[in-house]
Amino acid sequence: MIVRCVRIISPATRAVVSDHPAMRIGAEYPVLEVLTAVDRVLLRIPDPVDSPPGAFDSSGLWDASMFAVVSDRVPACWVASLDEGALSLAPREWQRPGFWEDFFDQVPVAVAEYDRCKAEILQQC
């Protein structure tokens, strides 16, 4: 799935802003995960490719209302998960309890799972 940014909503304040270092209006981004929250839908977007060399390869959750769908092709590795009322469409490996905590703590197994699944998703975009 590929989306185009049509407006920027600050992840911190949820206000519409004119710019953000990780997002550009008009740019297209692959979607790594779709996650519903209580009152909104979030898309996991990889960090910009122009991140500084040696930077931790991460991703962020962005409000889905910021984007228009360019390609609705769903990656084959995505599965649906329902947990405490939240629906996630993502690789099964990312849906295990504690995965994102392990990933951001840079636990090697979680980082390797993220890298492998991200590469598979990007290949299918």
Side-chain angles (χ1 to χ4, degrees):
M1 173 182 265
I2 298 174
V3 294
R4 179 181 302 110
C5 181
V6 295
R7 75 182 59 79
I8 300 173
I9 298 174
S10 168
T13 66
R14 294 176 72 176
V16 175
V17 296
S18 60
D19 65 346
H20 189 282
M23 194 62 52
R24 290 181 182 79
I25 293 175
E28 294 182 1
Y29 300 93
V31 176
L32 302 179
E33 174 184 26
V34 177
L35 179 66
T36 64
V38 174
D39 60 346
R40 61 188 180 154
V41 176
L42 302 171
L43 304 181
R44 185 171 301 279
I45 304 291
D47 282 346
V49 294
D50 59 351
S51 295
F56 178 59
D57 181 16
S58 182
S59 62
L61 291 171
W62 297 89
D63 194 301
S65 67
M66 293 173 42
F67 303 98
V69 175
V70 174
S71 168
D72 61 0
R73 183 173 179 200
V74 175
C77 65
W78 279 9
V79 296
S81 170
L82 189 60
D83 183 32
E84 297 182 19
L87 176 69
S88 171
L89 300 173
R92 184 175 314 280
E93 295 87 341
W94 297 0
Q95 295 178 359
R96 72 168 171 78
F99 171 79
W100 289 110
E101 290 84 355
D102 288 350
F103 173 73
F104 285 107
D105 287 342
Q106 299 186 34
V107 174
V109 171
V111 172
E113 286 175 341
Y114 172 83
D115 289 343
R116 183 181 56 75
C117 293
K118 176 183 171 186
E120 184 177 347
I121 293 167
L122 295 178
Q123 184 179 28
Q124 294 179 27
C125 285

